[in-house]
Amino acid sequence: MWPDQIHAELAAAKVRFVGYVPDAGHKRLIELCQADNAMRTVVLSTEEEGIGLAAGAWLGGERTVLLMQSSGVGNVVNVLGTVKECRFPLVSIVTMRGEEGEFNPWQVPMGQATRAVLEAMGTVVHRPASAEEIAPAVNAALRLAYHSYASVAVLIPQRVIGIKSFQEQANQ
Amino acid sequence: MSLHRREVVASLLKGRKDLLVIAGLGSTAWDITAAGDSPLNFPLWGAMGQAAMTGLGLALAQPQRRVLVITGDGEMLMGLGSLATIGVQQPRNLGIVVIDNESYGETGMQATHTAGGVDLAGVARACGLRACSHEKILHEAGPAFAVVKVLAEKIPLVLPPREGALLKARFRRALLGPQADLT
């Protein structure tokens, strides 16, 4: 499963902290990170806090990955400016809403704007097209971020997550 | 409210030894610089609301070192949720001091919520931080939190280096050694 493969990539890259605001699409990955003694998960009040967390951890010599839903990208816009100005390495793994088969119209505006917003703030965007392409995309994002001091986001398509209704989401 | 902010911050940083210091944007960044610029200072010039979280990330990454966040009331108010996040994480080595002049000092001294009765120490306490006096912040087990009421005064700017990448690199080199440049 792709969440297990992402976890293996994070572990291999010695990611120490995983900051997250939960999303149904990230449920499995969050559980894997919580069960990993080499990682410390930090639940956030809002996604913006994850940028401060990652910046502080990097000042202290440790790697952080952020997990969020596409709606959360809207909450980090200003602080991505700090990431760019300071050249903090940052990997964000974003589960998409508001695209293929969305069932909540309120998710659509931010979902449709996610890539443009990230790119406008200088974040490199990888968007794997299928489940098989996710782990290689995360691997590439980790290398780009930590070898080149870049902010990189991996967008996981809603089609791959495959939740099609409120009921299905509630059953996660 | 008769304390001068520069004197309060200078007293906090006197004999700082290996203390790691994060300052919120604006007046507190000038305050820590006036007390003596150091590579182990990370003064934010942006990311309003993220000083406490930056301190949390640093404290978790460096559990053997003491981390002190010095920030203003307006900056802290923008990141109130971070107090809940810090309260859950319980970093023993993190202290946060709010230099509270009840004003947005960089933008024309407009009143902040603390002028309207909001009790930041009460919020912090309710989130699981240990409220204490600022004199004890470096000795109290963290997460410790202090509010110091200071005069709302216009005083000369004392600016740290402006470039973010420089501030980051010099901090990492001072903390982690030359190897930091190669990782």
Side-chain angles (χ1 to χ4, degrees):
Chain A
M1 274 174 71
W2 59 266
D4 301 68
Q5 293 165 354
I6 294 178
H7 171 259
E9 294 289 349
L10 303 187
K14 296 188 165 44
V15 170
R16 175 79 181 89
F17 300 113
V18 178
Y20 70 94
V21 173
D23 178 59
H26 272 319
K27 182 170 186 284
R28 170 82 180 151
L29 178 56
I30 291 167
E31 289 167 354
L32 289 166
C33 294
Q34 286 172 334
D36 186 333
N37 290 332
M39 293 179 188
R40 179 165 181 160
T41 57
V42 179
V43 60
L44 309 166
S45 309
T46 172
E47 293 81 357
E48 187 181 14
E49 293 176 7
I51 308 285
L53 177 78
W58 182 249
L59 289 176
E62 298 285 0
R63 296 179 172 189
T64 304
V65 161
L66 304 183
L67 311 182
M68 68 184 81
Q69 186 189 83
S70 49
S71 52
V73 170
N75 292 344
V76 303
V77 179
N78 177 55
V79 286
L80 284 176
T82 290
V83 172
K84 183 177 183 184
E85 165 57 21
C86 297
R87 300 195 68 192
F88 281 118
L90 180 72
V91 173
S92 306
I93 302 176
V94 180
T95 45
M96 291 303 299
R97 293 287 304 269
E99 44 177 33
E100 299 109 329
E102 178 57 59
F103 49 91
N104 178 353
W106 295 46
Q107 286 279 2
V108 177
M110 190 64 234
Q112 288 297 315
T114 296
R115 174 187 275 269
V117 164
L118 287 166
E119 289 178 342
M121 291 308 294
T123 292
V124 177
V125 175
H126 293 343
R127 191 181 187 283
S130 66
E132 296 70 41
E133 293 176 27
I134 291 173
V138 170
N139 178 287
L142 288 162
R143 286 187 289 118
L144 176 57
Y146 288 108
H147 296 173
S148 302
Y149 315 105
S151 173
V152 188
V154 178
L155 309 186
I156 300 178
Q158 190 164 10
R159 178 163 34 82
V160 170
I161 300 163
I163 298 168
K164 295 188 176 63
S165 69
F166 288 110
Q167 189 56 54
E168 215 177 315
Q169 181 171 260
N171 292 341
Q172 275 285 295
Chain B
M1 251 213 281
S2 59
L3 295 176
H4 296 279
R5 58 185 309 135
R6 289 278 162 83
E7 291 172 9
V8 169
V9 172
S11 72
L12 284 169
L13 298 180
K14 192 177 172 199
R16 58 184 284 174
K17 300 191 187 103
D18 60 357
L19 183 69
L20 309 178
V21 178
I22 307 285
L25 80 174
S27 298
T28 48
W30 324 150
D31 294 338
I32 67 164
T33 307
D37 188 31
S38 162
L40 293 179
N41 283 353
F42 192 73
L44 288 156
W45 284 82
M48 186 164 175
Q50 291 308 311
M53 281 302 299
T54 306
L56 175 65
L58 180 57
L60 294 179
Q62 289 287 326
Q64 305 306 320
R65 298 289 286 262
R66 192 85 191 180
V67 176
L68 183 63
V69 174
I70 302 176
T71 193
D73 44 306
E75 205 277 345
M76 191 70 249
L77 283 160
M78 196 174 278
L80 275 190
S82 65
L83 294 176
T85 300
I86 290 164
V88 168
Q89 293 298 322
Q90 288 290 309
R92 308 295 286 179
N93 57 330
L94 177 64
I96 300 168
V97 176
V98 177
I99 306 296
D100 182 5
N101 64 358
E102 304 188 349
S103 314
Y104 291 103
E106 303 303 306
T107 56
M109 287 295 189
Q110 300 88 350
T112 67
H113 292 335
T114 60
V118 171
D119 173 11
L120 286 173
V123 174
R125 201 179 292 113
C127 289
L129 286 81
R130 286 165 195 81
C132 63
S133 74
H134 68 278
E135 287 100 340
K136 291 188 178 155
I137 194 84
L138 293 177
H139 309 289
E140 195 79 13
F145 187 92
V147 175
V148 198
K149 293 283 185 182
V150 297
L151 293 162
E153 48 188 351
K154 292 297 273 184
I155 47 182
L157 305 181
V158 183
L159 304 182
R162 282 201 295 276
E163 189 187 349
L166 168 73
L167 291 164
K168 173 198 70 172
R170 74 172 193 165
F171 188 101
R172 281 170 49 84
R173 191 181 293 174
L175 174 60
L176 306 167
Q179 190 61 28
D181 296 346
L182 304 173
T183 55

